[in-house]
Amino acid sequence: MEGEWIQTLGFFLVLLTLMMLSGMPVALGFLTLNIIGLYLFLGGEGALSLLATSTFSSVGQFALVPIPLFLLMGELLLKTGLAARTVEVVDQWIGRIPGRLSLSSVGGGTLFGALSGASMASVAMLGSTLVPEMTRHGYKPAMSVSSILAGGGLAVLIPPSALGVLLGAMAKVSIAELLLGGILPGLVLAIMYVAYFAIRATVHPELAPRYAAPPVPLGAKLRGLLEISPLLVLVLVVTGFIFFGIATPSESAAMGVVATLVLAAGYRRLSWAALKSSVMAAMTTTSMMLLVIVGSSGFSQLLAATGATSALVAAVAALDMSPIVTVIVMQLIVLMLGCFIDTISIMLVAIPVFMPVVLAIGVDPIWFCILILVQLELAGITPPFGVLLFVMKGVQQQLRIGEIYGAALPIVLIQILLVTLLMTFPSIVLTLPGLMSR
């Protein structure tokens, strides 16, 4: 019956909203929604067996192996102090240019993102190590907090990205191509951040006062660079093996973990306490992500079985909007959702609904997924409920939440500019995946 699919989809979304407002964990909320939907719409208790089949098929994929491995890499780098040492070396090489510490946080965030792909860990590490130093030198939150949020959020785009792997699994696209597609946009975004903070520190020096930093001899700089060079080689090897087809993302992630353990041991920074803490943190986050995939897969099948997916695709086609307008509308929806719910919840709500429409209108799924990754990065810093904003508040309790919100605004605008560039020049995303597929 025409219009029935709207009632069905509306029922699911209202029920999901009520569950989120109740404080129920997102993954459990989606599992509950799937059980209720199967029971009410697909034949009662007998239909619940579909959820068991869906659960196994959704998480029993070799393509998901990089998620725990990339997370473990990030935790090892954080717990052993290798990430903090990398930031110190970056700071030595930046020198005395305006906004030096802000640029250090962007550079450190770029490197840490390339090493781990964990944005929350990146913000926590940079926030706890650099914000006190910036405050001591008179930096205002508009420069200090803003640069930490910028540097930390880069981990979402620059591979290895655990969130990218999760998105690729949910959207059913090539994870290798998706990871490679994020490299150039991530580097472009990092350059935009560097330009912004350097220019703002020059125009408004009161936000980032210059100070007489102790000169670092060239020999010390070279020794520091030599010290972290194995980590930089690790990044190139992990990403390069995926690009040249030598190894799958799962195999590259496994090599990355082994190499990180070897490097941490070689630097005499590996301890049982650090290893245990890293494994437990990675296992906790991985469990949550796998439950998310189970919920998303079940929700996708529920929408398809009730006819809501096919009806939605037909409704979008009937609107006679151009594909680019449709993509813009989808991104606006994700951006609005980002003001109120976390990135994982957004993926669960949006991807099962959006991907059938994207494929139906002929939009490149890799390009679309990178646009969504940027929007998810935005969701992490968009007031009032961006998760990275609360991570920053957690590591720097003296900051007012209003100061953190104000510091996030320029970063939001810069990322919107990046989205405009990616939509105008899709080759920024598609060049590296295209070279890989040749």
Side-chain angles (χ1 to χ4, degrees):
M1 180 171 136
E2 189 174 352
E4 185 176 345
W5 70 273
I6 299 178
Q7 298 174 13
T8 303
L9 187 59
F11 171 79
F12 290 146
L13 294 179
V14 169
L15 185 59
L16 178 62
T17 302
L18 292 175
M19 289 178 182
M20 289 184 175
L21 291 176
S22 72
M24 181 182 291
V26 174
L28 294 181
F30 264 88
L31 287 175
T32 304
L33 175 67
N34 291 336
I35 292 172
I36 294 174
L38 287 170
Y39 186 85
L40 293 179
F41 291 94
L42 296 180
E45 295 179 8
L48 296 181
S49 61
L50 296 175
L51 186 59
T53 305
S54 158
T55 298
F56 180 79
S57 62
S58 60
V59 297
Q61 305 178 50
F62 183 66
L64 297 180
V65 172
I67 290 179
L69 296 176
F70 285 153
L71 290 172
L72 182 57
M73 275 182 64
E75 292 295 337
L76 286 169
L77 290 165
L78 190 63
K79 299 293 194 303
T80 59
L82 293 178
R85 177 55 184 154
T86 302
V87 174
E88 291 174 7
V89 173
V90 170
D91 183 55
Q92 290 178 351
W93 279 90
I94 286 178
R96 302 184 182 184
I97 61 179
R100 166 186 175 174
L101 292 174
S102 293
L103 300 185
S104 294
S105 67
V106 173
T110 303
L111 283 178
F112 188 59
L115 288 166
S116 72
S119 58
M120 285 190 288
S122 186
V123 169
M125 184 270 294
L126 294 170
S128 59
T129 57
L130 285 181
V131 169
E133 182 72 7
M134 291 181 179
T135 303
R136 189 167 66 86
H137 289 292
Y139 277 57
K140 300 296 186 292
M143 290 293 286
S144 59
V145 175
S146 187
S147 60
I148 299 297
L149 294 174
L154 283 166
V156 174
L157 274 179
I158 297 177
S161 167
L163 196 63
V165 176
L166 180 61
L167 176 60
M170 292 173 63
K172 295 179 174 57
V173 300
S174 167
I175 291 175
E177 291 186 12
L178 184 58
L179 291 176
L180 292 175
I183 294 178
L184 292 182
L187 294 177
V188 169
L189 185 58
I191 292 170
M192 292 167 68
Y193 285 150
V194 168
Y196 166 75
F197 288 115
I199 292 171
R200 191 165 190 193
T202 302
V203 176
H204 298 286
E206 71 279 3
L207 297 177
R210 293 195 182 214
Y211 63 95
V216 179
L218 180 61
K221 290 182 180 180
L222 292 174
R223 284 193 297 273
L225 188 61
L226 183 63
E227 182 181 346
I228 68 166
S229 59
L231 295 174
L232 303 180
V233 172
L234 172 62
V235 175
L236 295 176
V237 169
V238 169
T239 307
F241 277 20
I242 296 174
F243 178 77
F244 290 109
I246 299 173
T248 66
S250 301
E251 293 164 345
S252 294
M255 289 189 303
V257 171
V258 172
T260 302
L261 287 169
V262 171
L263 290 174
Y267 289 135
R268 300 182 183 275
R269 293 173 179 259
L270 185 62
S271 64
W272 281 114
L275 181 59
K276 179 182 176 181
S277 177
S278 300
V279 170
M280 290 302 296
M283 286 176 60
T284 301
T285 307
T286 300
S287 300
M288 180 270 294
M289 285 190 165
L290 292 180
L291 279 175
V292 163
I293 292 173
V294 169
S296 172
S297 177
F299 189 48
S300 299
Q301 293 183 3
L302 188 58
L303 290 177
T306 57
T309 297
S310 56
L312 177 62
V313 171
V316 171
L319 292 176
D320 199 26
M321 292 191 301
S322 68
I324 196 69
V325 173
T326 305
V327 169
I328 291 173
V329 171
M330 290 178 180
Q331 291 184 84
L332 289 175
I333 291 172
V334 171
L335 186 59
M336 287 187 291
L337 289 174
C339 296
F340 303 102
I341 61 177
D342 62 89
T343 55
I344 301 297
S345 303
I346 294 170
M347 291 171 66
L348 278 166
V349 172
I351 297 305
V353 177
F354 285 174
M355 287 312 296
V357 176
V358 167
L359 297 175
I361 63 178
V363 170
D364 188 289
I366 298 296
W367 176 70
F368 177 77
C369 285
I370 293 297
L371 291 177
I372 293 299
L373 271 182
V374 178
Q375 297 297 340
L376 293 175
E377 185 179 347
L378 262 173
I381 59 172
T382 305
F385 299 121
V387 64
L388 297 184
L389 305 179
F390 292 102
V391 171
M392 175 59 68
K393 176 65 177 175
V395 297
Q396 294 298 329
Q397 293 285 343
Q398 79 282 0
L399 291 170
R400 298 192 306 274
I401 194 66
E403 292 178 319
I404 298 176
Y405 286 171
L409 181 58
I411 306 307
V412 170
L413 296 177
I414 291 172
Q415 291 193 11
I416 291 174
L417 177 59
L418 174 68
V419 170
T420 305
L421 284 175
L422 298 184
M423 295 190 70
T424 306
F425 305 103
S427 58
I428 299 175
V429 172
L430 300 176
T431 296
L432 291 182
L435 290 175
M436 173 195 171
S437 60
R438 287 181 183 177

